[in-house]
Amino acid sequence: KEAVNKCRELGLRYPEITGWIRAKKEDLKLVKEMELPETGILTSASDYHIYMKMGKDREKAMDQYLGIAKEALSLGIIPRCHFEDATRADVYGFCVPLAQELMKLMEESKIKIKIRICDTMGYGVPYPGAALPRSVDKWVRAMIEEAGVPEECLEWHGHNDFHKVMVNAVTAWMHGCSAANGTLLGFGERTGNPPIEGLIIEY
């Protein structure tokens, strides 16, 4: 909270401080208490995560995700939904319908809802002709063309398990993602993320 207030005192737009929570009301309460304007929300997308990690089915998972997004909007907090394990998910059977519902909420509330496509296991590939859910370009275009997600609300979050973290991030950019997540020198959870310095050069 001190860091947020310091940025405001200095009149700085950046760095913007955001949160990261589970899709639970008790986590959202912390975001409100810290007066954060935006938070990431873990929205596990693959059946492996929904059934095995969360012990739910698709319908219950979707209800939970939409419920927490509505709650965030009611508090004036911008939700950024992290579609975890996207490159192992059913894009048209689960992810597109979820994104479409989120876009309806955005239209009703007039508050931006962001979607982060998370290549959690690094399975994404940049090759033309690759199939979903592995294809980076088809993933991005499905969100834009089928789900109606504005480009400025879409971002890519990649991991480097198979050494494609930079090329996948750039591919996502080139096909319509407005943002790519990166870390200093690529350091990050497990295999790391795109290095910010590399993204700057590519940009």
Side-chain angles (χ1 to χ4, degrees):
K1 191 169 177 180
E2 286 177 22
V4 173
N5 290 334
K6 191 65 178 172
C7 284
R8 287 176 184 157
E9 283 172 25
L10 295 170
L12 299 175
R13 182 176 174 194
Y14 299 107
E16 272 183 6
I17 298 172
T18 69
W20 186 95
I21 63 168
R22 299 167 299 174
K24 293 178 181 281
K25 285 190 177 182
E26 58 265 34
D27 287 14
L28 189 58
K29 186 180 173 207
L30 296 172
V31 175
K32 184 64 176 173
E33 286 172 5
M34 293 176 68
E35 298 178 11
L36 296 176
E38 178 178 323
T39 188
I41 299 170
L42 184 61
T43 49
S44 299
S46 70
D47 281 348
Y48 185 86
H49 281 236
I50 291 168
Y51 287 88
M52 303 297 289
K53 184 179 82 169
M54 297 169 61
K56 296 183 183 291
D57 59 28
R58 289 183 180 186
E59 186 178 355
K60 286 178 183 167
M62 189 176 293
D63 286 346
Q64 182 177 339
Y65 301 153
L66 293 173
I68 201 72
K70 285 178 189 173
E71 186 75 17
L73 293 169
S74 75
L75 297 171
I77 296 167
I78 297 168
R80 190 179 61 255
C81 299
H82 297 186
F83 281 34
E84 184 187 28
D85 206 22
T87 49
R88 290 197 295 176
D90 183 344
V91 178
Y92 286 101
F94 182 76
C95 299
V96 166
L98 173 58
Q100 287 171 334
E101 291 303 313
L102 290 167
M103 292 303 100
K104 287 178 190 173
L105 292 178
M106 182 168 80
E107 194 174 329
E108 290 166 12
S109 68
K110 309 301 181 198
I111 296 174
K112 191 176 284 188
I113 296 178
K114 300 177 184 179
I115 291 179
R116 174 184 283 181
I117 305 167
C118 301
D119 185 14
T120 305
M121 302 297 291
Y123 284 158
V125 294
Y127 312 128
L132 285 169
R134 306 284 195 254
S135 170
V136 175
D137 61 298
K138 286 186 177 73
W139 237 112
V140 173
R141 296 317 301 172
M143 286 292 102
I144 294 168
E145 293 168 10
E146 309 297 330
V149 181
E151 292 182 6
E152 65 271 17
C153 293
L154 198 58
E155 64 183 79
W156 178 263
H157 179 91
H159 283 269
N160 205 29
D161 298 72
F162 300 101
H163 303 284
K164 293 186 177 67
V165 76
M166 272 298 299
V167 70
N168 282 345
V170 174
T171 299
W173 261 344
M174 291 178 72
H175 287 88
C177 258
S178 69
N181 300 160
T183 56
L184 187 63
L185 301 176
F187 291 129
E189 180 201 359
R190 282 187 14 265
T191 57
N193 307 103
I196 289 175
E197 59 278 13
L199 289 173
I200 289 168
I201 291 166
E202 285 295 326
Y203 184 76

